[in-house]
Amino acid sequence: MKKSIVACSGLLLASFSHASGLYFYEIGTEDTALAGAGQAARAQDASTIVTNPAGMTRLPDSMFTGGLQVMGGDINYQLDNSRQSPGNVMKLFPNASSFYSQKVSDDLYAGIGLYGNYGLGIDFGDWAGDRLIKKSTMLAMTLSPSLAWKLNDRVSIGGSVNANYGFLSLTRNVDGDDKTQKDHDWAMSYRLGLLMELTEQTRAGITWNSKTDYDFNIDAQARFPNLPNVDFTLPIGAQVRAPQQIMLSLVHDIDKQWSVMGDLGWQDWSQFGAPQITVAGEALDKTSRLKDTWHTALGVQYRPTEAWRLNAGVAFDSTLYKDQSDVALTLPTGDEWRFATGAQYQLSQASNIGIAVEYLHMQSSRVQSPAILKGSYDDPYLWFASVNYSYLF
């Protein structure tokens, strides 16, 4: 997955990542401690439903995995020619996930997941552009029924049908008063996965996710008193899309203590063209500003004892923009680096608990239009802290 779901400076009005744009890899599971490395091949708990459903064939007869997470950071926007800069628009944002997998027969496994990898709350406050946007909250949850089939001892396939529910709230200044608009929508998406045991110590996984489109009925137009005959329109549609994506992962167990893993991923952001604010109904520049993005990650697991598993990972996601000096006001993002670590502890034969922390640094960017709100996002970053728990029935 990538920018990172969602993704997202608010998932609607500012996408700061799940890879390169709208959604996040981080959903409160052990993957957070690895910066997502090996996600499509690791299959160590029931959250494999979201990273590669075929991985359920590696799990025990029945398993539950759940996670809690909080996200924060500093997404600071400074205007070039105004003291009314919004500053840090990022607010603390909680998240949760839960997954259950069940062996149906020797070859068939079923599972269901409920998770949020879209969503954020942003607050620009009282600033020079508060008629365009003041606050925005995007929440999305996905219900993911899944099946996996073991074709033989080395190859498994899986699939998920995802029901995505999204809620959007947008607040702006209208003639001195805050006006809030809200809407919600359902969107369907799909996931296919393949898991292969290349050797007794090495496995590979590949996952394809379809694009997801929400359709919110929100009035995106705004006017400024000093420009009475000009209206501005936010590119809301661009903020609620997630492109199709492919993730390839490898995991290699060096010995009983050490494992290494990696990813290579692609997201089809170029299909969405040139999201930007329009003025008086006309785009300032119709040239496509988006390009496809690439993801790579490396991770390591170390098991000093039978009770402990230590994780660390680093990941890179390329920017979805062709030019970082001309990004959309409502979609600030760039190249992203993730640095993560964490640990799992085996409480008993049936249960384990884990913690994870991650730092995500984004490339700086500049906004050129509209000219009255021209400015920059300098050295933005996010952080994640999560706890997860798994239980074997």
Side-chain angles (χ1 to χ4, degrees):
M1 303 181 172
K2 188 185 182 243
K3 267 179 169 186
S4 147
I5 261 175
V6 334
C8 280
S9 171
L11 247 151
L12 150 92
L13 296 174
S15 180
F16 298 135
S17 187
H18 165 139
S20 244
L22 256 180
Y23 49 155
F24 295 94
Y25 304 113
E26 297 80 10
I27 56 173
T29 64
E30 189 176 358
D31 283 312
T32 302
L34 291 158
Q39 58 184 277
R42 194 168 54 84
Q44 290 175 312
D45 60 49
S47 68
T48 189
I49 287 170
V50 71
T51 54
N52 186 349
M56 287 190 290
T57 61
R58 288 183 53 85
L59 301 182
D61 290 355
S62 56
M63 186 176 192
F64 166 82
T65 297
L68 298 173
Q69 179 175 278
V70 63
M71 174 177 62
D74 189 339
I75 309 295
N76 194 296
Y77 189 60
Q78 294 295 324
L79 295 167
D80 288 349
N81 301 310
S82 173
R83 295 181 180 178
Q84 281 187 285
S85 295
N88 182 20
V89 303
M90 177 67 193
K91 303 299 178 184
L92 288 178
F93 195 80
N95 194 13
S97 61
S98 60
F99 305 91
Y100 178 77
S101 69
Q102 175 71 54
K103 182 178 181 180
V104 179
S105 68
D106 288 343
D107 298 323
L108 180 64
Y109 291 71
I112 190 166
L114 180 64
Y115 60 92
N117 63 341
Y118 291 40
L120 204 56
I122 56 174
D123 187 351
F124 282 83
D126 296 319
W127 72 299
D130 60 10
R131 286 178 173 264
L132 198 62
I133 175 176
K134 193 169 184 179
K135 298 179 183 179
S136 176
T137 299
M138 169 70 179
L139 300 174
M141 293 297 294
T142 298
L143 183 66
S144 185
S146 307
L147 290 174
W149 181 262
K150 184 184 291 186
L151 298 181
N152 54 50
D153 290 341
R154 291 190 175 273
V155 180
S156 299
I157 57 174
S160 303
V161 176
N162 308 312
N164 306 281
Y165 174 79
F167 170 82
L168 173 64
S169 173
L170 173 63
T171 299
R172 55 162 54 112
N173 175 8
V174 179
D175 298 327
D177 294 322
D178 286 352
K179 180 180 178 181
T180 300
Q181 295 177 291
K182 300 176 181 179
D183 197 17
H184 62 91
D185 189 36
W186 286 92
M188 298 301 297
S189 63
Y190 310 93
R191 181 182 304 115
L192 297 175
L194 171 68
L195 186 66
M196 298 171 288
E197 302 279 347
L198 302 180
T199 70
E200 298 217 353
Q201 293 176 285
T202 306
R203 59 188 179 275
I206 186 169
T207 306
W208 169 82
N209 285 275
S210 71
K211 72 175 182 177
T212 307
D213 284 310
Y214 291 101
D215 183 14
F216 293 112
N217 183 20
I218 295 290
D219 182 5
Q221 289 191 339
R223 290 178 178 271
F224 291 83
N226 57 333
L227 300 170
N229 297 318
V230 178
D231 60 75
F232 294 80
T233 303
L234 284 167
I236 288 179
Q239 264 58 46
V240 291
R241 293 172 175 169
Q244 67 170 326
Q245 58 182 309
I246 297 173
M247 184 69 72
L248 171 65
S249 299
L250 288 172
V251 173
H252 177 68
D253 299 323
I254 298 173
D255 53 33
K256 291 183 178 180
Q257 286 188 305
W258 291 93
S259 298
V260 292
M261 55 208 69
D263 293 336
L264 180 63
W266 166 83
Q267 289 187 335
D268 190 16
W269 283 104
S270 61
Q271 67 178 303
F272 296 139
Q276 59 187 291
I277 294 171
T278 60
V279 180
E282 293 293 329
L284 300 183
D285 181 2
K286 296 182 180 179
T287 303
S288 174
R289 66 173 69 186
L290 301 187
K291 63 180 180 179
D292 293 348
T293 59
W294 294 90
H295 162 86
T296 186
L298 291 173
V300 61
Q301 286 188 331
Y302 174 59
R303 293 168 286 273
T305 69
E306 291 186 1
W308 285 97
R309 183 165 68 231
L310 308 181
N311 297 305
V314 59
F316 173 77
D317 288 276
S318 65
T319 179
L320 53 78
Y321 285 109
K322 295 179 180 178
D323 185 355
Q324 284 301 116
S325 65
D326 184 21
V327 309
L329 170 68
T330 56
L331 191 63
T333 188
D335 290 344
E336 296 180 356
W337 282 95
R338 286 171 162 81
F339 304 92
T341 189
Q344 299 290 127
Y345 179 70
Q346 198 71 32
L347 296 169
S348 67
Q349 287 187 338
S351 64
N352 70 77
I353 191 169
I355 59 171
V357 292
E358 182 186 87
Y359 172 80
L360 188 162
H361 181 81
M362 278 182 284
Q363 184 181 7
S364 298
S365 59
R366 287 195 53 79
V367 175
Q368 300 293 343
S369 64
I372 60 172
L373 300 179
K374 186 176 179 180
S376 62
Y377 288 96
D378 296 322
D379 296 316
Y381 67 86
L382 298 174
W383 57 262
F384 302 84
S386 65
V387 59
N388 64 80
Y389 176 79
S390 292
Y391 186 81
L392 309 181
F393 294 90

